[in-house]
């Protein structure tokens, strides 16, 4: 489940939402930003824990979502969903917006379709607003109504960022319609607010609810420019900094009122750490560096690789301190010479623009004191042990890049094509934490410590397209995960881990006894001369109980360790891939896949084919298509077989629905 908000409509406010929601909701929820059209076109409601609309100008929301979009939003909330609207998101979710009704240049007045707050949201609450400017920004004082908020540390009053917001007119009069005032302005307002000066309201909507806030409690002082030359702005930032804790406590209480599980420690989004390149092969790291030399440039005597998405600064182990360095939440990463002393490590930044420091370990892997959350010696020892049991000519995992905190292992490989083209087959990138993990489409989230996260390079010959199509890589990866878990050691064979077509890993949660997603697979392929360059990305909940459940919660004989599990999955994947290129997805692969998947004879609805009922019969061994047998009267087979592609359909297992991806 994840908070979802349309990022592209109001990009100025979106980074503040991402920053604050990640701090308060990780690791229990993934914070995902989407374009406005995704609200209309994508099947988001089933996995959305909170729909968030940031500030900006609500007419943009109206242009994109009036009609079908708002119908889907209303239906989602009325059926038990939650909505959080900041500033423009609050205007938008009111019955009527009245913004600067007396100013013909700024006037925005009209009814709104959602009407979660049934009355008028009227602004400006305070004068001075200027579009695309901080000129009208204030640190407004809010008095909190504690009756509707259960968090013990909720403040009596606090100051919040304000810039262009309104006031909920006559809010107490709508109490019989499920409206509660959560906070009110204490200062004199520019407009008539009727009864009370409601700044934040809670609205009961069917089985769901909305919290609407006219000021911006999601804005943290650390993300504002205290050196701005705007008159009085530095004082605004200073006031917000002083009230950072009560502001955060209030927002946490609002999220809890909407039924979300909040991180009480207010964990910071961690800063990026160094990357470590090493190998278990003789001269493995040296050979890789030789192949990379043609894309290395020298700047100021230092070596860099500047690729399409990232820039890498190459370092030797002796070039920096060998002390224990950690960049995980609660600990600061080592400050580097080119860091900006005026930039707080904890503020919202564009991680793609940060130069990635790549330490080249040519003689031996990094010692554990340099990478305390990943023991390279244990990993390579387990890798060697498993390869000795199942010899393979492939080298999956023998060359590895590890980072304690990275953007995304998939991004580091797949989005940097100059680097990717020169990496050996089986090269693997892994991390302890990802701050911009990638899923299908535009999904991006923080992946917490406790998840096994890695991406492996597969160089698949185009000549094998007919015999062994590249589309089967996702099926091989899924099988490698399940078989790797079950063959981890003696006593693990019966762990309740299953496959969901085409690329998810499920387990039976021991507490709820229900099937729960614990992992996923993302495969991206580039065509390069005579081969497909594929990056197989895998994420698997291993020791982290949130946001769903984990392998260690399944009561294994002994707890899984990251190093050993990574080694087992990679060696299993290596053996399967080596067999696949010789035999294709043969009968033995097919039988193994059906042994572990969830869908044999499942009856589903084919959404893209007009709601046809069908029974799942399997996948084709030539192109990996899902086979569905059409059902007619009394669910009797009609004789028609549907074949569905994995890259254009998704399988909602619990609803028995195969739906078209957008």
């Amino acid at each position: 489940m994840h908070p979802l908000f349309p990022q592209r409509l109001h990009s100025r406010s979106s980074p503040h939402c991402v920053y604050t929601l990640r701090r308060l909701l990780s690791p229990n929820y993934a914070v995902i930003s989407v374009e406005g059209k995704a609200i209309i076109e994508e099947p988001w409601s089933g996995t959305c824990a909170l729909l968030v609309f940031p500030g900006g100008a609500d007419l943009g929301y109206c242009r994109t979502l009036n009609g079908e979009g708002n119908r889907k939003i209303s239906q989602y909330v009325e059926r038990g969903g939650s909505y959080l609207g900041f500033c423009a998101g609050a205007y938008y979710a009111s019955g009527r917006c009245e913004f600067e009704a007396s100013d013909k240049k700024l006037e925005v007045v009209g009814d709104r379709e959602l009407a979660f707050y049934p009355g008028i949201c009227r602004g400006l609450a305070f004068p001075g607003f200027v579009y695309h400017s901080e000129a009208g920004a204030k640190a407004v004082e809010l008095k909190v109504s504690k009756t509707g908020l259960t968090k013990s540390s909720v403040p009596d009053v606090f100051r919040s960022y304000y810039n262009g917001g309104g006031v909920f007119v006559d809010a107490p009069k709508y109490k019989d319609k499920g409206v509660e005032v959560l906070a009110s302005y204490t200062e004199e307002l520019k407009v008539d607010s009727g009864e009370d000066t409601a700044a934040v309201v809670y609205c009961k909507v069917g089985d769901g609810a909305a919290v609407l806030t006219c000021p911006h409690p999601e804005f943290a002082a650390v993300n504002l420019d205290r050196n701005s030359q705007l008159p009085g702005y530095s004082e605004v930032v200073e006031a917000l900094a002083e009230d950072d804790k009560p502001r955060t406590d209030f927002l946490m209480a609002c999220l809890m009122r909407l039924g979300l599980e909040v991180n009480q420690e207010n964990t910071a989004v961690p800063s990026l750490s160094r990357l470590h390149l090493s190998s278990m092969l003789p001269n493995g790291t040296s050979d890789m560096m030789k192949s990379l030399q043609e894309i290395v440039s020298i700047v100021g005597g230092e070596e860099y690789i500047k690729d399409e998405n990232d820039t890498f600064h190459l370092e030797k182990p002796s070039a920096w301190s060998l002390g224990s360095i950690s960049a995980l939440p609660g600990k600061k990463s080592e400050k580097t010479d080119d860091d900006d002393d005026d930039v707080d490590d904890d503020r919202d930044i564009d991680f793609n623009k940060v130069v990635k420091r790549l330490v080249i370990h040519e003689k031996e892997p990094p010692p554990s004191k340099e990478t305390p959350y990943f023991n390279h010696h244990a990993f390579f020892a387990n890798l060697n042990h498993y390869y000795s049991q199942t010899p393979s000519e492939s080298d999956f995992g023998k060359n590895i890049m590890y980072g304690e905190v990275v953007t995304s292992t998939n991004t580091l490989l797949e989005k940097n094509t100059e680097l990717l083209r020169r990496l050996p087959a089986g090269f693997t990138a892994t991390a302890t934490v990802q701050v911009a993990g990638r899923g299908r489409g535009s999904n991006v989230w923080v992946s917490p410590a406790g998840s096994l996260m890695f991406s492996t390079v597969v160089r698949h010959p185009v000549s094998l397209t007919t015999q062994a199509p590249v589309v089967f890589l996702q099926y091989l990866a899924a099988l490698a995960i399940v078989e790797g878990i079950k063959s981890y050691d003696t006593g693990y064979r019966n762990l309740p881990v299953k496959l969901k077509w085409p690329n998810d890993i499920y387990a039976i949660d021991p507490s709820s006894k229900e099937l729960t997603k614990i992992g996923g697979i993302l495969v991206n392929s580039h065509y390069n001369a005579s081969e497909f360059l594929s990056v197989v990305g895998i994420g698997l909940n291993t020791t982290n109980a949130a946001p769903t459940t984990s392998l260690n919660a399944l009561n294994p004989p002994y707890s899984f360790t990251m190093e050993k599990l990574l080694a087992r999955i990679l060696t299993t994947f290596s053996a399967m891939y080596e067999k696949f290129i010789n035999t294709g997805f043969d009968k033995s692969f097919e039988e193994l896949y059906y042994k572990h998947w969830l869908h044999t004879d499942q009856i589903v609805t084919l959404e893209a084919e007009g709601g046809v009922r069908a029974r799942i019969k399997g996948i084709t061994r030539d192109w990996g298509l899902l086979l569905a047998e059409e059902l007619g009267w009394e669910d009797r087979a009609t004789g028609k077989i549907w074949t569905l592609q994995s890259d254009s359909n998704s399988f909602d297992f619990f609803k028995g629905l195969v739906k078209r991806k957008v």
Side-chain angles (χ1 to χ4, degrees), residues 42 65 122 173 184 203 207 229 232 306 325 347 361 390 407-408 430 494 526 624-625 645 652:
E42 295 186 12
L65 299 172
R122 180 178 291 156
K173 294 183 179 180
S184 302
C203 308
D207 292 332
Q229 299 303 308
K306 184 173 178 56
I325 294 173
R347 67 186 300 169
H361 297 269
T390 53
T407 49
S408 158
T430 187
N494 294 323
H526 298 268
L625 303 177
Q645 295 182 27
D652 191 328

Side-chain angles (χ1 to χ4, degrees), residues 20-37:
T20 296
L21 292 177
R22 282 180 174 174
R23 286 172 63 91
L24 299 184
L25 298 177
S26 177
N28 299 301
Y29 307 90
V31 179
I32 297 174
S33 57
V34 298
E35 296 185 12
K37 68 178 182 179

